Amino acid sequence: IDGQKVAMTYHSFHWSSYDSPYRSLEVLSEARRTSPKDLFAQEYLAEPIENAQGVFKNVLDRVKGVSGPTSLNWLGVDLGQIHDFSAFALINSNREVFHIERSQAEYPVQKQRIAALALKHNARIVIDATGLGKPVSQDLRASGLSVEEVTFSNEKKSDVISAARVAFETAAITIPNDSDLQDELIAYEYTVLPSGAIRYSAPEGKHDDLVIAVALANWGARSIPMGYDANRPTIIRYLPQSIGGVRL
């Protein structure tokens, strides 16, 4: 900074990744397409970002009226600790979040509810398998359901949240008109660590369960083209006894 002041004896220099003789324009173009704007500016344009900023942009612009399932859907599951909320979010192949809910029920009841949602909407379950999520995901997979486990390291969480950030910035996702979800998305923030890594979290005293559930559902759908339709019927069958034995 001192180097930018004419009266000082310091000098400053600025080089971006585009200035490197080893640059790959193809790689840079892909990074620009898939990275949040502020993180691309920091990592590739050498423009430092400020600390503790809001994560999701244009949240209210992404609110859409009633939508529903398509032939393929994804169910994001964030399991809460004791006394915390768990959250479930369903997204379709058009990247429309069409159902969200919270639960503080006992885990056997939550497993039954997760299975019922997945079967009713032909949804692949994408679950935070960190801690308590691991045995729950194993039970769900053992019952014959399609499950993707996501174990949150700081790096993995950054990947999942960054993908959701890009979806909001590029209008690739829509959300229901739910005030709790909107409040969580608007309040969610990041902190730049001394190492330069990004830590995502809700402000102290706030919840982020719905944010994580939506981000996981969006992550699950990452490899499917927008609007993909396999013309597969919704699966309806008995749930295994281990998760409730309830017919849909």
Side-chain angles (χ1 to χ4, degrees), residues 3-124:
Q4 297 173 6
K5 300 175 182 178
V6 176
M8 302 297 292
T9 58
Y10 302 98
H11 297 279
S12 66
F13 303 90
H14 178 271
W15 289 283
S16 74
S17 296
Y18 288 93
D19 299 313
S20 170
Y22 306 106
R23 71 185 185 279
S24 165
L25 294 180
E26 182 178 351
V27 170
L28 291 172
S29 177
E30 178 66 10
R32 183 183 289 274
R33 186 183 69 82
T34 59
S35 302
K37 292 179 181 178
D38 51 359
L39 294 189
F40 180 83
Q42 173 176 271
E43 299 300 322
Y44 296 95
L45 302 182
E47 298 175 0
I49 56 178
E50 297 179 6
N51 206 356
Q53 295 191 32
V55 171
F56 296 102
K57 313 299 183 186
N58 311 313
V59 170
L60 297 182
D61 292 337
R62 304 296 169 253
V63 176
K64 183 179 179 179
V66 178
S67 58
T70 49
S71 60
L72 290 178
N73 307 280
W74 294 265
L75 172 59
V77 175
D78 178 48
L79 290 174
Q81 304 293 326
I82 297 175
H83 306 308
D84 287 337
F85 284 106
S86 294
F88 316 137
L90 278 155
I91 193 170
N92 63 29
S93 58
N94 296 317
R95 302 301 196 279
E96 299 165 330
V97 180
F98 63 90
H99 178 87
I100 58 170
E101 65 178 77
R102 279 175 163 153
S103 175
Q104 284 186 305
E106 298 293 328
Y107 284 124
V109 177
Q110 290 194 37
K111 282 193 291 184
Q112 179 179 339
R113 179 59 177 160
I114 293 166
L117 287 170
L119 287 168
K120 181 178 181 180
H121 298 294
N122 193 32
R124 179 173 173 81

